[in-house]
Amino acid sequence: MTQPDLNHANPHAEAAVSVPPVASFREPEFLLSHIQDTLRFYAPNVLDPGGGFFHFFRDDGSIYDKTTRHLVSSCRYVFNYAMAYRQFGDPQHLEYARHGMRFLHDAHWDAQHEGYDWELEWRDGHKRVLDSTRHCYGLAFVLLAYSHAAMAGIEEAKPMIAATFELMEHRFWDAAAGLYADEASADWRVSSYRGQNANMHTTEALLTAYEATGHLVYLDRAERVASNITLRQAKLSQGLVWEHFHADWSVDWHYNEEDSSNIFRPWGFQPGHQTEWAKLLLILERHRPLPWLLPRAIELFDAAMTHAWDENHGGLYYGFGPDHTVCDHDKYFWVQAETFATAALLGKRTGNERFWDWYDEIWRYSWAHFVDHRYGAWYRILTCDNRKYSDEKSPAGKTDYHTMGACYEVLTHALADAPVESAR
């Protein structure tokens, strides 16, 4: 495990910022205020008038790389501002969503090879491609971005939903396996690596595409991918979702075995992906109430909490191995966010207070350690005992899409008539 930069080790080292008291984490006003605080962190510096948004922010909101643009962040910003517009009605958020969508469509798109470039250098309105690898994970977020833009009323996004689905169908869909391949070269030579992460985020995007269009093809595909990963493939890996597979979809137990903290392909069971899949199964159940979805969601959630909750310092660890011992003790922001959203959805769906207790507990931990009460937004990664590694709050890939998305999910689908409990 990388040693922390002790110059930035304590999130409150500059001068202690007291943690504001919260009467209840289950109040809509709390979540709405938190979303607005997070948006305010990005607001002063995020927009690049020359195209897209800036992707690298320090704790204080200053930018430390003005030229690198990553496909995942470009897509997630569209989500951020489309959702913000739908929630708060600020026309500037709608314009930001349009601005981000134009950059995605015009700058990231490679017309020659008909794919979206993974990473760009953007200077004075001109791009230089840094990485043209085609990632299904990236296309999943392209589909998600266009779907959310369409739901925000951006008409030109609507045809891009079907176009992106067809691109994924043509280049990555493995009909025999009923799952998506993962990666290809710029000219679309598909690699032998297979992974669940791309399929998970594709399921998320497919569910959103269905909500944006009402077209059953997206819901049918979401159900198929979800069942194949969380039932069929999980049977090969102790009933939990493993990350890595060979080309024939047999489990690859050793891929990245020495790299449990890889940003997109870590070794080990990912607690955050068990709970994120549980969330997606509950979203799928809203549209298609199949009997296996709720029990499976509970199993995945409970496994994550059993094997990954840190009883000493709070929070969920990043990964655990096949023997259920923790292989990466770090705490990642997105793991906590996805898990509190799932806990709330399970609490609402089942009426069982134990899930709401977990919701409160994860929020208490995150509010005390991850949320930056000086400048806003969440720190990205902490040590086991909740110290920061650096002052790089939001590098490429992190736009607080996970944290704001979790808040929206709880607001919209868990809090109606939910029990109100003191935050203590």
Side-chain angles (χ1 to χ4, degrees), residues 1 5 40 85 109 111 115 136 140 148 188 219 230 249 273 288 306 375 397:
M1 186 173 72
D5 175 359
R40 275 193 289 270
Y85 174 69
W109 177 250
C136 185
H148 277 285
W188 292 106
L219 185 61
T230 65
W249 286 98
H273 285 163
R288 187 162 282 174
T306 297
Y375 297 112

Side-chain angles (χ1 to χ4, degrees), residues 128-383:
R128 181 172 73 89
V129 177
L130 301 177
D131 186 348
S132 58
T133 307
R134 313 301 182 205
H135 289 278
C136 185
Y137 181 100
L139 281 179
F141 278 102
V142 172
L143 180 59
L144 186 82
Y146 287 135
S147 299
H148 277 285
M151 287 192 284
I154 300 174
E155 289 297 319
E156 57 267 35
K158 293 179 179 177
M160 298 309 300
I161 297 172
T164 305
F165 178 77
E166 288 304 320
L167 178 62
M168 298 173 77
E169 189 80 1
H170 177 49
R171 296 300 190 179
F172 283 126
W173 179 243
D174 179 347
L179 292 168
Y180 288 87
D182 200 270
E183 179 186 299
S185 62
D187 57 355
W188 292 106
R189 287 167 292 158
V190 176
S191 80
S192 62
Y193 173 82
R194 300 290 181 268
Q196 83 77 25
N197 199 11
N199 283 277
M200 182 186 72
H201 282 292
T202 296
T203 301
E204 173 191 24
L206 289 165
L207 289 166
T208 309
Y210 171 69
E211 291 169 353
T213 66
H215 295 168
L216 284 171
V217 64
Y218 304 125
L219 185 61
D220 290 343
R221 178 60 56 81
E223 179 195 336
R224 187 173 180 191
V225 174
S227 64
N228 284 343
I229 289 289
T230 65
L231 296 177
R232 187 191 74 199
Q233 294 301 119
K235 285 181 181 177
L236 307 177
S237 53
Q238 306 175 11
L240 298 179
V241 176
W242 188 252
E243 296 295 313
H244 312 297
F245 301 88
H246 299 287
D248 63 357
W249 286 98
S250 60
V251 175
D252 187 344
W253 292 107
H254 302 292
Y255 185 91
N256 272 353
E257 194 164 9
E258 304 305 316
D259 192 1
S260 63
S261 61
N262 186 284
I263 184 171
F264 292 119
R265 296 179 181 178
W267 183 81
F269 288 112
Q270 290 279 286
H273 285 163
Q274 314 305 312
T275 61
E276 199 167 354
W277 263 117
K279 181 190 77 172
L280 294 173
L281 296 183
L282 294 170
I283 295 171
L284 176 59
E285 190 196 35
R286 276 178 223 151
H287 304 299
R288 187 162 282 174
L290 301 168
W292 65 271
L293 292 167
L294 177 61
R296 189 70 184 117
I298 293 172
E299 288 173 355
L300 292 172
F301 178 87
D302 284 347
M305 304 315 295
T306 297
H307 299 305
W309 182 259
D310 181 350
E311 295 288 353
N312 295 317
H313 302 290
L316 285 148
Y317 295 121
Y318 191 53
F320 59 90
D323 62 356
H324 297 161
T325 60
V326 175
C327 61
D328 192 322
H329 290 76
D330 285 344
K331 312 291 173 59
Y332 281 69
F333 81 104
W334 67 266
V335 178
Q336 322 308 319
E338 290 295 338
T339 306
F340 82 62
T342 306
L345 294 181
L346 283 169
K348 172 68 173 177
R349 175 66 178 83
T350 66
N352 192 325
E353 184 66 16
R354 78 178 179 92
F355 296 115
W356 282 111
D357 288 344
W358 272 124
Y359 171 84
D360 291 333
E361 183 66 20
I362 296 164
W363 251 124
R364 276 193 293 271
Y365 165 76
S366 301
W367 191 245
H369 298 290
F370 266 104
V371 177
D372 182 348
H373 298 293
R374 181 187 296 275
Y375 297 112
W378 290 43
Y379 303 117
R380 189 177 79 87
I381 177 173
L382 302 176
T383 63

